[in-house]
Amino acid sequence: MKTKLLYIIFILLGLAKISQAQVNPAVDSTQVRPETANLKENSARDSIPSGFDPMATDSIVPVAQPPRISYKMSSDSLDAEVISSARDSMITDMVNQKIHLYGDATVDYKTINLKAAHIVLDWSTSIVTAEGMPDSTGRMANFPVFKDETQEFQAKKMRYNFQTEKGIVYDITTQQQDVIIHAARSKFISKPPKDSTEEKQDIIYSEDAIFTTCEADEPHFGVHSKKQKIIANKMVVSGPLNLELMGIPTPLWLPFGFFPVTEPRGTGLLFPEFDFSADQGMGLKGLGWFFPLGDHFNLSVRSNVYFFTGTWGVSAASQYRKKYRYNGSFNLGFDDRRVEEASDGSISSSKSFSIRWTHNQDRSAHPTMNFGGSVNFQINDYQSTVSNRADNVLNNSLSSNLNFSKSWRDKPFNFNASFSHSQNTSSKQITVNFPKLNFQTQTLYPFRKKQRSGKAKWYEDITFKYTSEAKSTFTGVDSTFFSNQTLDDARYGMKQNISSGTSFKLFQYFNFNPSVRYQEVWYGKSLLKEQFEIPEVDIDTSETGVITKDTLNYGYSLDTLVNGFRAYRTFDMSASVNTQIFGTLRFKRSRLMGLRHVIKPTLGFSYSPDYTANPNWFLEERDFSTPDEYRDDPYSIFDGNIYGAPSSSGMQMRFTYGFVNNFEAKYLSKRDSTAKKIKIFETINVGGSYNFASPQYKWSVVTASGRTRLFKGLTNFTFRLNWDPYLNQVNDEGTRRERVEVFYFQETGKLLQFTGGTFSLNSNLTVSKIRELFQGKEEEVVEDRRDTREESGEDDFLSLFENFRIAHNMTARWERTLADKDTLIISTNSIDVRGNIQLSKNWYITIGRIGYDFTNQRLTYPDIGFRRDIHCWEAGFNWTPDRQAFSFYIRAKGSTFGFLKLPYQRNYRDAERAKNAF
């Protein structure tokens, strides 16, 4: 029952405080106009209740021009306009001092509205009564309904004494958030404040109440309590609670009930779910407490505990939001998983940890600063330990990225600071980059004039740009990541780049683009390979006394990181020329109007010096498989650092060539004879290079790559092919193919030798896309129109699978075998299906992830679920056969009664335990 019932009484307070009434014969007799408050009444219909005497002195007969009565009001009259109406009639009983409103009676005062079939005010006893009346069938109807701006409740009958400020409500039905309350009898008391610093307190005492989330008039389930105390806008406290199903008590009891009802948020208990696992036994999941932290933050702390093994876990989840500023969430979890060993009955413990954080800044929060990103970090495979969801189990890669950026108005530079993290849950390897600082300028034109007239000079388009970056990298496995060894193995450094370039036209059709770049890299550690020789030792390996020597190993090297500042500098320059060539082929008397081929050739030249000649950067390394030999390639003291080392490829004077091609066709549409375009190949790139400074293999491999979309965008096709101008043949050992510095043309008369390639087909289908394809839609790319079909109400058999997605991925490589045969090898070929089916209004099937790997000939982690809606309850079953795990539950709807759940589950640890038992 809502405590605002008191307002109903105040509506009629002015009438009940009437101390004297006189009839003025000069005015009408049915329009009531108090001296200090206005009571407006709608004229009632000419229907007179049975037994009504129109000649009685205590009754007023409705006439066309109703008379008016003037009342002298007390000083306690209302301060706002009161509007009342009744569909049938309004009767003032002067003898019994009562006012009756019949038939859809309504009273409005400020934001309060009261409706009932019959409302009576007795000003002699200061009691107001509202109740229903029989309808045409004799059934009681139009029970009292009370509404405020945010509250509403219904009752069979209401009585209230406005002098003592106490009331009684019978058979009340009200709703607080998602909880519906049915109470047989409630008593209302309003306590005035003790002083000006306190507020009035409304208290309700109820008897025989049921708390439920079922919307049926007779709830299918509920928590029954004999006595309750409700402190308005604070809390509800009840005695022992008993769960009832279909009105039948069950053996399930709670010793007491405590429900916070603070608006809009309040501290309160988070009820747990009962859980049972063959591996862990009986347990409670989700027991915790909710904390509102101000107007913009809240915090939920939950715990899990299993009584058989002692497994426990705790988690904290927080959500925050400030309008036009920021929003985000934070989740922290810890789990101590304890398992009884089948061999000796001992308990083993495995601890895991997880932290997840997302933060987003509103665009309007700050014009020049932004901070946001996400963190997803865990230790010891937390996500697959506490969850059987396919996404958690199959996703073995985690990543984080937090970014802060700052720019300055009217300044050509900006600053960025970030944190990034990558983690592989299979290999347990973690990489963290923090901090990563970046400062860079925008593209500057130092030779441009602020105010210029006429055509710009060529040198005015020369650009200048500066970038710098500093970064620290930490790597390690998750079990030892937070140790001193991780700090000792940390890598850090800084690099700076200065680049300049320009672009201008040559001979009207060619674009010339020269550029230069200077880079400087700083490190705090460098690599030193300490080399140790092993003296030759004579070994007697036979009983005959034959002496042999160990010639397999003449020494070893030890890698050492040396602390100290070291730096290297690089320089390179390049220039390129590009243009476009258009070719068109037209057709007459055909739906195919023409073909178009666009070629974008590019010729370029680049230069970089030989850095291996610097003895401070590159050192020789012994080859300990021979007595006195050194390796052909020296090693760099900068190897293994975060920005790498200078190029060890020697001097580069490289001529490059490339051709970008795309093919289009134009045709006439069958539907409206308009011209349509279609892309045959979106792009085909062909390119290679020639290095003048290379001592051998000056020509590079020629590559061709491209991509296009098939079946109106349902399938993406990509490929990459390689040809070599030099001869490729099997080595003398017959183990692999090697490149020989002999032109293929000299041996075979052919210019290039095909050496292999790769291609891939990736399809992403939905029922809407398939329907559009087979219906002959002429769009170049088929779009997903699920929302449009839902709005139009179209329905067919395929609509059952409207929320399904089918993904097919195939990757293959084409290579030449040792027997000189071209072979196609399919490395990946799998199909994946996910979605849900609504079989009926109450039956649902969910396919979390199921597929088939044609290469390995096995299912790819099926995850299947069923759900049944049982009005105010729901039941579900989830099965992941690949992990031999399943779960079943039946639970009440609504978050408040989410703890009313009967679960049973078997996770992958239970399956392993059962397997080992046999």
mmCIF file of all heavy atoms in Angstrom, residues 388-423:
data_model
loop_
_atom_site.group_PDB
_atom_site.id
_atom_site.type_symbol
_atom_site.label_atom_id
_atom_site.label_comp_id
_atom_site.label_asym_id
_atom_site.label_seq_id
_atom_site.Cartn_x
_atom_site.Cartn_y
_atom_site.Cartn_z
ATOM 1 N N ASN A 388 31.038 -21.512 -18.346
ATOM 2 C CA ASN A 388 31.055 -22.519 -19.406
ATOM 3 C C ASN A 388 30.630 -21.934 -20.749
ATOM 4 O O ASN A 388 30.417 -22.676 -21.701
ATOM 5 C CB ASN A 388 30.116 -23.673 -19.050
ATOM 6 C CG ASN A 388 30.802 -24.689 -18.152
ATOM 7 O OD1 ASN A 388 31.990 -24.951 -18.302
ATOM 8 N ND2 ASN A 388 30.059 -25.246 -17.217
ATOM 9 N N ARG A 389 30.485 -20.629 -20.848
ATOM 10 C CA ARG A 389 30.045 -20.017 -22.097
ATOM 11 C C ARG A 389 31.076 -20.236 -23.190
ATOM 12 O O ARG A 389 32.288 -20.149 -22.963
ATOM 13 C CB ARG A 389 29.795 -18.531 -21.907
ATOM 14 C CG ARG A 389 28.600 -18.205 -21.029
ATOM 15 C CD ARG A 389 28.399 -16.708 -20.946
ATOM 16 N NE ARG A 389 28.278 -16.124 -22.271
ATOM 17 C CZ ARG A 389 28.267 -14.801 -22.501
ATOM 18 N NH1 ARG A 389 28.376 -13.962 -21.481
ATOM 19 N NH2 ARG A 389 28.159 -14.339 -23.720
ATOM 20 N N ALA A 390 30.590 -20.489 -24.400
ATOM 21 C CA ALA A 390 31.489 -20.784 -25.508
ATOM 22 C C ALA A 390 32.412 -19.615 -25.807
ATOM 23 O O ALA A 390 33.595 -19.796 -26.089
ATOM 24 C CB ALA A 390 30.672 -21.138 -26.756
ATOM 25 N N ASP A 391 31.889 -18.398 -25.733
ATOM 26 C CA ASP A 391 32.717 -17.233 -26.047
ATOM 27 C C ASP A 391 33.876 -17.111 -25.069
ATOM 28 O O ASP A 391 34.983 -16.713 -25.441
ATOM 29 C CB ASP A 391 31.867 -15.960 -26.009
ATOM 30 C CG ASP A 391 30.864 -15.908 -27.143
ATOM 31 O OD1 ASP A 391 31.067 -16.634 -28.133
ATOM 32 O OD2 ASP A 391 29.874 -15.171 -27.028
ATOM 33 N N ASN A 392 33.644 -17.453 -23.810
ATOM 34 C CA ASN A 392 34.703 -17.363 -22.818
ATOM 35 C C ASN A 392 35.736 -18.465 -22.992
ATOM 36 O O ASN A 392 36.932 -18.260 -22.779
ATOM 37 C CB ASN A 392 34.119 -17.430 -21.408
ATOM 38 C CG ASN A 392 33.329 -16.195 -21.047
ATOM 39 O OD1 ASN A 392 33.532 -15.129 -21.618
ATOM 40 N ND2 ASN A 392 32.412 -16.327 -20.111
ATOM 41 N N VAL A 393 35.264 -19.664 -23.364
ATOM 42 C CA VAL A 393 36.173 -20.800 -23.474
ATOM 43 C C VAL A 393 37.005 -20.722 -24.747
ATOM 44 O O VAL A 393 38.212 -20.973 -24.739
ATOM 45 C CB VAL A 393 35.371 -22.117 -23.419
ATOM 46 C CG1 VAL A 393 36.284 -23.310 -23.656
ATOM 47 C CG2 VAL A 393 34.667 -22.244 -22.082
ATOM 48 N N LEU A 394 36.383 -20.359 -25.887
ATOM 49 C CA LEU A 394 37.075 -20.379 -27.167
ATOM 50 C C LEU A 394 37.946 -19.154 -27.388
ATOM 51 O O LEU A 394 38.890 -19.196 -28.164
ATOM 52 C CB LEU A 394 36.056 -20.490 -28.302
ATOM 53 C CG LEU A 394 35.251 -21.794 -28.333
ATOM 54 C CD1 LEU A 394 34.244 -21.753 -29.453
ATOM 55 C CD2 LEU A 394 36.166 -22.990 -28.496
ATOM 56 N N ASN A 395 37.646 -18.063 -26.724
ATOM 57 C CA ASN A 395 38.437 -16.854 -26.909
ATOM 58 C C ASN A 395 39.694 -16.935 -26.052
ATOM 59 O O ASN A 395 39.655 -16.711 -24.841
ATOM 60 C CB ASN A 395 37.604 -15.623 -26.527
ATOM 61 C CG ASN A 395 38.368 -14.335 -26.737
ATOM 62 O OD1 ASN A 395 39.313 -14.286 -27.517
ATOM 63 N ND2 ASN A 395 37.955 -13.282 -26.051
ATOM 64 N N ASN A 396 40.824 -17.283 -26.672
ATOM 65 C CA ASN A 396 42.071 -17.406 -25.915
ATOM 66 C C ASN A 396 42.959 -16.179 -26.038
ATOM 67 O O ASN A 396 44.121 -16.213 -25.651
ATOM 68 C CB ASN A 396 42.850 -18.654 -26.364
ATOM 69 C CG ASN A 396 43.171 -18.627 -27.849
ATOM 70 O OD1 ASN A 396 42.899 -17.642 -28.536
ATOM 71 N ND2 ASN A 396 43.735 -19.697 -28.340
ATOM 72 N N SER A 397 42.422 -15.105 -26.579
ATOM 73 C CA SER A 397 43.188 -13.868 -26.711
ATOM 74 C C SER A 397 42.458 -12.739 -25.991
ATOM 75 O O SER A 397 41.267 -12.505 -26.242
ATOM 76 C CB SER A 397 43.385 -13.497 -28.188
ATOM 77 O OG SER A 397 44.139 -14.481 -28.859
ATOM 78 N N LEU A 398 43.158 -12.060 -25.118
ATOM 79 C CA LEU A 398 42.616 -10.913 -24.397
ATOM 80 C C LEU A 398 43.451 -9.689 -24.728
ATOM 81 O O LEU A 398 44.662 -9.793 -24.963
ATOM 82 C CB LEU A 398 42.636 -11.157 -22.884
ATOM 83 C CG LEU A 398 41.916 -12.406 -22.374
ATOM 84 C CD1 LEU A 398 42.122 -12.542 -20.878
ATOM 85 C CD2 LEU A 398 40.443 -12.355 -22.708
ATOM 86 N N SER A 399 42.824 -8.548 -24.727
ATOM 87 C CA SER A 399 43.549 -7.317 -25.029
ATOM 88 C C SER A 399 42.934 -6.152 -24.274
ATOM 89 O O SER A 399 41.756 -6.180 -23.901
ATOM 90 C CB SER A 399 43.539 -7.020 -26.533
ATOM 91 O OG SER A 399 42.221 -6.847 -27.000
ATOM 92 N N SER A 400 43.748 -5.130 -24.053
ATOM 93 C CA SER A 400 43.317 -3.911 -23.373
ATOM 94 C C SER A 400 43.896 -2.718 -24.112
ATOM 95 O O SER A 400 44.958 -2.807 -24.737
ATOM 96 C CB SER A 400 43.792 -3.892 -21.916
ATOM 97 O OG SER A 400 43.381 -5.046 -21.224
ATOM 98 N N ASN A 401 43.196 -1.611 -23.997
ATOM 99 C CA ASN A 401 43.675 -0.382 -24.634
ATOM 100 C C ASN A 401 43.033 0.817 -23.950
ATOM 101 O O ASN A 401 41.825 1.016 -24.043
ATOM 102 C CB ASN A 401 43.346 -0.377 -26.124
ATOM 103 C CG ASN A 401 44.086 0.709 -26.877
ATOM 104 O OD1 ASN A 401 44.840 1.472 -26.271
ATOM 105 N ND2 ASN A 401 43.879 0.794 -28.157
ATOM 106 N N LEU A 402 43.827 1.599 -23.236
ATOM 107 C CA LEU A 402 43.384 2.852 -22.639
ATOM 108 C C LEU A 402 44.155 3.990 -23.298
ATOM 109 O O LEU A 402 45.372 3.872 -23.513
ATOM 110 C CB LEU A 402 43.629 2.868 -21.136
ATOM 111 C CG LEU A 402 42.654 2.091 -20.255
ATOM 112 C CD1 LEU A 402 43.133 2.124 -18.812
ATOM 113 C CD2 LEU A 402 41.247 2.658 -20.346
ATOM 114 N N ASN A 403 43.456 5.066 -23.582
ATOM 115 C CA ASN A 403 44.090 6.126 -24.344
ATOM 116 C C ASN A 403 43.682 7.499 -23.804
ATOM 117 O O ASN A 403 42.508 7.753 -23.531
ATOM 118 C CB ASN A 403 43.700 6.020 -25.822
ATOM 119 C CG ASN A 403 44.434 7.012 -26.678
ATOM 120 O OD1 ASN A 403 45.613 6.850 -26.957
ATOM 121 N ND2 ASN A 403 43.738 8.051 -27.118
ATOM 122 N N PHE A 404 44.675 8.368 -23.655
ATOM 123 C CA PHE A 404 44.445 9.769 -23.305
ATOM 124 C C PHE A 404 45.047 10.629 -24.415
ATOM 125 O O PHE A 404 46.200 10.429 -24.820
ATOM 126 C CB PHE A 404 45.108 10.128 -21.976
ATOM 127 C CG PHE A 404 45.142 11.608 -21.696
ATOM 128 C CD1 PHE A 404 44.029 12.265 -21.204
ATOM 129 C CD2 PHE A 404 46.287 12.350 -21.965
ATOM 130 C CE1 PHE A 404 44.050 13.631 -20.971
ATOM 131 C CE2 PHE A 404 46.320 13.725 -21.731
ATOM 132 C CZ PHE A 404 45.192 14.363 -21.229
ATOM 133 N N SER A 405 44.268 11.540 -24.928
ATOM 134 C CA SER A 405 44.740 12.405 -26.011
ATOM 135 C C SER A 405 44.493 13.868 -25.661
ATOM 136 O O SER A 405 43.495 14.200 -25.008
ATOM 137 C CB SER A 405 44.044 12.061 -27.329
ATOM 138 O OG SER A 405 42.643 12.251 -27.220
ATOM 139 N N LYS A 406 45.384 14.698 -26.095
ATOM 140 C CA LYS A 406 45.303 16.141 -25.846
ATOM 141 C C LYS A 406 45.731 16.887 -27.084
ATOM 142 O O LYS A 406 46.776 16.591 -27.673
ATOM 143 C CB LYS A 406 46.201 16.512 -24.651
ATOM 144 C CG LYS A 406 46.406 17.999 -24.444
ATOM 145 C CD LYS A 406 45.128 18.739 -24.062
ATOM 146 C CE LYS A 406 45.395 20.225 -23.801
ATOM 147 N NZ LYS A 406 44.146 20.967 -23.548
ATOM 148 N N SER A 407 44.916 17.819 -27.497
ATOM 149 C CA SER A 407 45.261 18.711 -28.602
ATOM 150 C C SER A 407 45.112 20.149 -28.135
ATOM 151 O O SER A 407 44.476 20.418 -27.109
ATOM 152 C CB SER A 407 44.363 18.442 -29.823
ATOM 153 O OG SER A 407 42.992 18.658 -29.497
ATOM 154 N N TRP A 408 45.700 21.060 -28.875
ATOM 155 C CA TRP A 408 45.670 22.474 -28.515
ATOM 156 C C TRP A 408 45.038 23.256 -29.656
ATOM 157 O O TRP A 408 45.379 23.049 -30.844
ATOM 158 C CB TRP A 408 47.079 22.988 -28.254
ATOM 159 C CG TRP A 408 47.661 22.499 -26.965
ATOM 160 C CD1 TRP A 408 47.670 23.139 -25.762
ATOM 161 C CD2 TRP A 408 48.326 21.241 -26.750
ATOM 162 N NE1 TRP A 408 48.295 22.367 -24.816
ATOM 163 C CE2 TRP A 408 48.704 21.204 -25.389
ATOM 164 C CE3 TRP A 408 48.630 20.143 -27.558
ATOM 165 C CZ2 TRP A 408 49.371 20.123 -24.836
ATOM 166 C CZ3 TRP A 408 49.281 19.064 -27.009
ATOM 167 C CH2 TRP A 408 49.654 19.054 -25.661
ATOM 168 N N ARG A 409 44.122 24.128 -29.277
ATOM 169 C CA ARG A 409 43.469 24.950 -30.296
ATOM 170 C C ARG A 409 44.471 25.888 -30.934
ATOM 171 O O ARG A 409 45.295 26.504 -30.269
ATOM 172 C CB ARG A 409 42.328 25.747 -29.664
ATOM 173 C CG ARG A 409 41.158 24.886 -29.199
ATOM 174 C CD ARG A 409 40.067 25.749 -28.570
ATOM 175 N NE ARG A 409 38.903 24.938 -28.204
ATOM 176 C CZ ARG A 409 37.838 25.421 -27.588
ATOM 177 N NH1 ARG A 409 37.774 26.708 -27.271
ATOM 178 N NH2 ARG A 409 36.826 24.619 -27.291
ATOM 179 N N ASP A 410 44.369 25.952 -32.254
ATOM 180 C CA ASP A 410 45.228 26.842 -33.042
ATOM 181 C C ASP A 410 46.700 26.481 -32.900
ATOM 182 O O ASP A 410 47.574 27.312 -33.173
ATOM 183 C CB ASP A 410 45.018 28.314 -32.638
ATOM 184 C CG ASP A 410 43.576 28.758 -32.796
ATOM 185 O OD1 ASP A 410 42.918 28.277 -33.734
ATOM 186 O OD2 ASP A 410 43.110 29.568 -31.968
ATOM 187 N N LYS A 411 46.998 25.246 -32.460
ATOM 188 C CA LYS A 411 48.373 24.772 -32.383
ATOM 189 C C LYS A 411 48.492 23.522 -33.241
ATOM 190 O O LYS A 411 47.634 22.641 -33.206
ATOM 191 C CB LYS A 411 48.769 24.447 -30.937
ATOM 192 C CG LYS A 411 48.636 25.624 -29.973
ATOM 193 C CD LYS A 411 49.628 26.735 -30.306
ATOM 194 C CE LYS A 411 49.525 27.866 -29.295
ATOM 195 N NZ LYS A 411 50.443 28.983 -29.613
ATOM 196 N N PRO A 412 49.600 23.377 -33.999
ATOM 197 C CA PRO A 412 49.712 22.262 -34.954
ATOM 198 C C PRO A 412 50.320 21.001 -34.356
ATOM 199 O O PRO A 412 51.080 20.307 -35.032
ATOM 200 C CB PRO A 412 50.617 22.858 -36.030
ATOM 201 C CG PRO A 412 51.525 23.768 -35.276
ATOM 202 C CD PRO A 412 50.707 24.349 -34.153
ATOM 203 N N PHE A 413 50.047 20.695 -33.105
ATOM 204 C CA PHE A 413 50.604 19.482 -32.528
ATOM 205 C C PHE A 413 49.616 18.900 -31.523
ATOM 206 O O PHE A 413 48.679 19.570 -31.068
ATOM 207 C CB PHE A 413 51.955 19.747 -31.851
ATOM 208 C CG PHE A 413 52.005 20.970 -30.986
ATOM 209 C CD1 PHE A 413 51.467 20.971 -29.701
ATOM 210 C CD2 PHE A 413 52.572 22.147 -31.456
ATOM 211 C CE1 PHE A 413 51.514 22.098 -28.908
ATOM 212 C CE2 PHE A 413 52.621 23.279 -30.667
ATOM 213 C CZ PHE A 413 52.092 23.255 -29.388
ATOM 214 N N ASN A 414 49.825 17.625 -31.164
ATOM 215 C CA ASN A 414 48.979 16.936 -30.206
ATOM 216 C C ASN A 414 49.801 15.908 -29.448
ATOM 217 O O ASN A 414 50.899 15.515 -29.871
ATOM 218 C CB ASN A 414 47.764 16.287 -30.894
ATOM 219 C CG ASN A 414 48.169 15.353 -32.003
ATOM 220 O OD1 ASN A 414 48.708 14.284 -31.766
ATOM 221 N ND2 ASN A 414 47.925 15.768 -33.255
ATOM 222 N N PHE A 415 49.246 15.447 -28.327
ATOM 223 C CA PHE A 415 49.931 14.530 -27.431
ATOM 224 C C PHE A 415 49.002 13.365 -27.122
ATOM 225 O O PHE A 415 47.784 13.533 -27.005
ATOM 226 C CB PHE A 415 50.323 15.245 -26.138
ATOM 227 C CG PHE A 415 50.863 14.334 -25.073
ATOM 228 C CD1 PHE A 415 52.163 13.844 -25.155
ATOM 229 C CD2 PHE A 415 50.068 13.965 -23.996
ATOM 230 C CE1 PHE A 415 52.653 12.993 -24.175
ATOM 231 C CE2 PHE A 415 50.557 13.128 -23.016
ATOM 232 C CZ PHE A 415 51.858 12.639 -23.103
ATOM 233 N N ASN A 416 49.589 12.179 -26.986
ATOM 234 C CA ASN A 416 48.802 10.981 -26.711
ATOM 235 C C ASN A 416 49.565 10.100 -25.729
ATOM 236 O O ASN A 416 50.775 9.909 -25.862
ATOM 237 C CB ASN A 416 48.551 10.215 -28.015
ATOM 238 C CG ASN A 416 47.644 9.019 -27.811
ATOM 239 O OD1 ASN A 416 46.432 9.161 -27.804
ATOM 240 N ND2 ASN A 416 48.228 7.842 -27.671
ATOM 241 N N ALA A 417 48.860 9.575 -24.732
ATOM 242 C CA ALA A 417 49.416 8.623 -23.779
ATOM 243 C C ALA A 417 48.488 7.423 -23.709
ATOM 244 O O ALA A 417 47.261 7.589 -23.645
ATOM 245 C CB ALA A 417 49.573 9.255 -22.394
ATOM 246 N N SER A 418 49.052 6.212 -23.694
ATOM 247 C CA SER A 418 48.206 5.029 -23.761
ATOM 248 C C SER A 418 48.785 3.879 -22.959
ATOM 249 O O SER A 418 49.982 3.850 -22.631
ATOM 250 C CB SER A 418 48.010 4.589 -25.221
ATOM 251 O OG SER A 418 49.234 4.170 -25.786
ATOM 252 N N PHE A 419 47.897 2.958 -22.652
ATOM 253 C CA PHE A 419 48.235 1.684 -22.028
ATOM 254 C C PHE A 419 47.646 0.583 -22.896
ATOM 255 O O PHE A 419 46.466 0.649 -23.274
ATOM 256 C CB PHE A 419 47.655 1.607 -20.610
ATOM 257 C CG PHE A 419 47.558 0.197 -20.060
ATOM 258 C CD1 PHE A 419 48.626 -0.364 -19.389
ATOM 259 C CD2 PHE A 419 46.395 -0.547 -20.222
ATOM 260 C CE1 PHE A 419 48.542 -1.648 -18.886
ATOM 261 C CE2 PHE A 419 46.298 -1.833 -19.718
ATOM 262 C CZ PHE A 419 47.382 -2.380 -19.043
ATOM 263 N N SER A 420 48.439 -0.431 -23.239
ATOM 264 C CA SER A 420 47.946 -1.555 -24.028
ATOM 265 C C SER A 420 48.455 -2.856 -23.438
ATOM 266 O O SER A 420 49.507 -2.899 -22.793
ATOM 267 C CB SER A 420 48.374 -1.430 -25.499
ATOM 268 O OG SER A 420 49.783 -1.473 -25.616
ATOM 269 N N HIS A 421 47.675 -3.877 -23.686
ATOM 270 C CA HIS A 421 47.979 -5.184 -23.098
ATOM 271 C C HIS A 421 47.450 -6.267 -24.030
ATOM 272 O O HIS A 421 46.377 -6.132 -24.625
ATOM 273 C CB HIS A 421 47.322 -5.263 -21.704
ATOM 274 C CG HIS A 421 46.808 -6.641 -21.363
ATOM 275 N ND1 HIS A 421 45.488 -6.989 -21.524
ATOM 276 C CD2 HIS A 421 47.419 -7.739 -20.873
ATOM 277 C CE1 HIS A 421 45.310 -8.231 -21.142
ATOM 278 N NE2 HIS A 421 46.462 -8.718 -20.737
ATOM 279 N N SER A 422 48.204 -7.327 -24.201
ATOM 280 C CA SER A 422 47.769 -8.493 -24.955
ATOM 281 C C SER A 422 48.115 -9.739 -24.156
ATOM 282 O O SER A 422 49.151 -9.789 -23.483
ATOM 283 C CB SER A 422 48.417 -8.542 -26.341
ATOM 284 O OG SER A 422 49.820 -8.648 -26.236
ATOM 285 N N GLN A 423 47.253 -10.750 -24.249
ATOM 286 C CA GLN A 423 47.416 -11.937 -23.427
ATOM 287 C C GLN A 423 46.870 -13.143 -24.164
ATOM 288 O O GLN A 423 45.803 -13.086 -24.780
ATOM 289 C CB GLN A 423 46.672 -11.749 -22.094
ATOM 290 C CG GLN A 423 46.794 -12.890 -21.128
ATOM 291 C CD GLN A 423 46.077 -12.602 -19.819
ATOM 292 O OE1 GLN A 423 45.518 -11.515 -19.640
ATOM 293 N NE2 GLN A 423 46.083 -13.551 -18.907
#
